[in-house]
Amino acid sequence: MIGVLGGMGPLATADFFAKVIAATDAQDDAGHVPLLIHSDPRIAGRPAALLHGGASPLPALLAARDRLVTAGAQGLVMACNTAHYWHAQLREDCALPFPSIVDVACAQAAQRFGNGARIGLVATRATLATRLFEPALHAYSLSLLAPTDAALDDWILPAIALVKAGHTAQAGPLLERAIQTMLDAGAEGVILACTEAPMALVDAPLALQARCLDSSTALAQATVALWRQLQSATLA
Amino acid sequence: MIGVLGGMGPLATADFFAKVIAATDAQDDAGHVPLLIHSDPRIAGRPAALLHGGASPLPALLAARDRLVTAGAQGLVMACNTAHYWHAQLREDCALPFPSIVDVACAQAAQRFGNGARIGLVATRATLATRLFEPALHAYSLSLLAPTDAALDDWILPAIALVKAGHTAQAGPLLERAIQTMLDAGAEGVILACTEAPMALVDAPLALQARCLDSSTALAQATVALWRQLQSATLA
């Protein structure tokens, strides 16, 4: 089975779970991907740790990883962009395949929006401040159009907090303004680089949705592909 | 954390996960219930085992339970009604609290529809044939109005199969007819005693929804209550 490091937040993990199911071509239960989902909302806040010297989530993430490995996970994924700051450390001493949400989102963005495209990001301030996406964007010849500080403070961060409090509908208009502003500034596409974001946009205009690449859906598709690959390896 | 035996089917488990989150009064991540969700769609089919002498799912369910216990679960729940046929065996040699979806659904039905009420069931043929709900219904002075064989064959079982194949919208009208027929025959309320059923009814008329008690939501509420109880016990 595939182990999922989640709970950051829980609603985003539930949304990721539903996206893995939707990405699976199956007519009955048995065709679906076996998952072991570790949804621990007590993991220390990622932005607080990265921006304000708060407690590090790394010990809890390592413990969750080890719990999933012990329980028999054959591969790992993590349904939170900001937490990928610790992705390299989580891969240390762990031989399991563990695709990165950052890599799969950038790979899909290059395919969808073309080589050399300017890409906006809907992300936490911590994801932006740690330049988490820049190596992968550059690897795919994409350039970054980051949201302004004002867009973060007025629209993106309040929208993420609203989703975490369960108010997804109220978060929608805020994110739409943030995305439209990046498109107006020249972005060819926008990566929803926070797993809370896509839930706020289910009722957004389709033309706007078409310009957005959902990192959570990209990781869900990579999860299904990884499971199929593990199955073929077992049969081979 | 609370361990969840799931994957029967996966979409029903994802729906249960979302219902635990919705049943939680939390303003941020940290207020939510930590869950470890074992979603294994390879567990042998429950109806096939109970009705047609197919392979028993019990060994896989026991293995999943043990995996969750080893990983640190402090309580267990199982997001599948039919699989509760094995609930007593899963509780053997396991000291963890493990509320039954059958008990919590019948307790809520008694509260909502009143003592002595006649209760219809939307359930698999296996759940009905094994009389899984009868002891709990009787314990709450409720009487059973089972669907007819024709209602099972024409509406309920095809609807469950449609949900398992991801076609929830097509399943809706079939279940609505099954429920209306039980209400017309004198049921005061209907327990959705299959975790696939509620997903088919999200667009059903509100008057009909009001006559239905969702076993998955009842178990989600019991899960939150169990977690709060475990937390108080730790603090006490």
Side-chain angles (χ1 to χ4, degrees), chain A residues 50-51 82 120-134 137 144-149 152 156-157 182 193:
Chain A
L50 293 170
L51 299 174
T82 312
L121 285 188
V122 169
T124 61
R125 176 168 273 127
T127 292
L128 294 161
T130 55
R131 304 182 176 280
L132 190 57
F133 272 71
E134 293 180 36
L137 286 170
L144 170 65
L145 193 152
T148 60
D149 268 334
L152 271 174
I156 296 177
L157 302 182
M182 288 189 275

Side-chain angles (χ1 to χ4, degrees), chain A residues 14-24 26-33 35 37, chain B residues 4 6-19 37-41 46 79-80 159-169 171 194-202 214 216:
Chain A
D15 181 60
F16 172 75
F17 185 9
K19 283 170 175 164
V20 172
I21 297 167
T24 309
Q27 288 310 306
D28 55 15
D29 289 359
H32 283 276
V33 179
L35 296 175
I37 303 172
Chain B
V4 180
M8 306 170 275
L11 201 58
T13 302
D15 183 59
F16 172 74
F17 185 10
K19 283 170 174 164
I37 303 172
H38 189 281
S39 178
D40 192 348
R46 287 66 61 197
C80 172
I160 294 171
L162 281 166
V163 173
K164 284 187 184 287
H167 308 302
T168 51
C194 171
T195 51
E196 262 83 22
M199 284 175 283
L201 294 168
V202 285
D214 172 5
S216 194

Side-chain angles (χ1 to χ4, degrees), chain A residues 191-217:
Chain A
I191 296 179
L192 305 177
C194 171
T195 52
E196 262 82 23
M199 285 174 283
L201 294 169
V202 285
D203 295 321
L206 293 180
L208 189 120
Q209 292 195 36
R211 304 289 290 278
C212 294
L213 191 138
D214 172 4
S215 61
S216 194
T217 296

